[in-house]
Amino acid sequence: RHIESRIAQIDRDGRADGIDVIVKSTPATPFIAVNCTCESMDEAVRMVRTVAEEGTRQIRPALRDKLVVVARNDVDSEKIDLDIGFSLTRPANASVRVAGDLVLRVGELPAVETMATVVRPGTNAESHTSFGTVGRWIEANAYEIAGPCREVFLEPITGPPGFEGAMVEIQFPVRKAA
């Protein structure tokens, strides 16, 4: 099915986009984040940058792992509901105040048995194509989305290659469609 899906994608698009969907499970992971509702994508990008910069500065490197953005968006809402924070290398119980009244609070990213993932460079003008690739794969392989999307920054965005160039893993929890 995976090979057939990839061939159909190439036939439909007329080219291979170089993005392969990988299916994997993810364990439960300690997570420290702030929940915020943003009015626009520009505001969301500013929040991600703020959390990345402040978290990098305030959370010890031995505890802080990857920057993670969890998106819980209602299709009927124009607002963007995000958890922005860091996966942690071990459980912790401290909160971290960033940018005035924003507080990163400890929680957990739940384990996901089946996650459809792609890796792409940065948040740039072409990054939306990766979401389309995952969506086509989900549909072609008889899955459905089973939870909020995660974007895991595999490289720090506070230094080179920066926000636009860092490698990002997009993760969609999925389950077989009924």
Side-chain angles (χ1 to χ4, degrees):
R1 280 192 111 161
H2 295 287
I3 293 170
E4 290 170 354
S5 171
R6 186 70 168 149
I7 290 169
Q9 177 187 3
I10 292 167
D11 288 343
R12 189 172 44 250
D13 297 343
R15 62 179 174 80
D17 58 11
I19 301 174
D20 290 317
V21 175
I22 305 297
V23 177
K24 66 181 186 178
S25 62
T26 59
T29 305
F31 185 51
I32 187 167
V34 62
N35 177 262
C36 60
T37 303
C38 299
E39 299 290 330
S40 68
M41 189 56 74
D42 287 340
E43 181 183 355
V45 168
R46 281 192 303 277
M47 284 295 296
V48 170
R49 285 182 195 271
T50 297
V51 171
E53 290 167 1
E54 289 292 313
T56 298
R57 192 173 60 75
Q58 294 187 47
I59 303 169
R60 291 186 324 271
L63 179 61
R64 181 186 74 242
D65 196 15
K66 294 175 178 55
L67 178 66
V68 179
V69 178
V70 179
R72 279 189 265 325
N73 294 329
D74 181 352
V75 294
D76 296 329
S77 176
E78 296 291 319
K79 296 182 181 182
I80 305 167
D81 180 13
L82 302 173
D83 288 338
I84 305 168
F86 291 89
S87 57
L88 301 174
T89 58
R90 65 181 185 281
N93 61 3
S95 59
V96 176
R97 182 171 299 282
V98 296
D101 62 346
L102 297 177
V103 178
L104 303 179
R105 299 192 192 290
V106 175
E108 183 177 78
L109 290 170
V112 176
E113 184 177 323
T114 309
M115 192 78 85
T117 69
V118 297
V119 175
R120 63 159 167 81
T123 301
N124 52 51
E126 297 299 315
S127 62
H128 69 279
T129 60
S130 301
F131 287 90
T133 298
V134 176
R136 286 190 301 274
W137 183 92
I138 289 169
E139 187 175 280
N141 289 281
Y143 282 91
E144 62 187 9
I145 296 173
C149 171
R150 300 176 187 174
E151 290 187 65
V152 179
F153 288 79
L154 303 176
E155 300 172 301
I157 67 167
T158 55
F163 195 62
E164 290 75 22
M167 297 304 286
V168 179
E169 182 177 63
I170 300 169
Q171 303 177 339
F172 278 94
V174 294
R175 65 177 166 248
K176 280 295 191 179

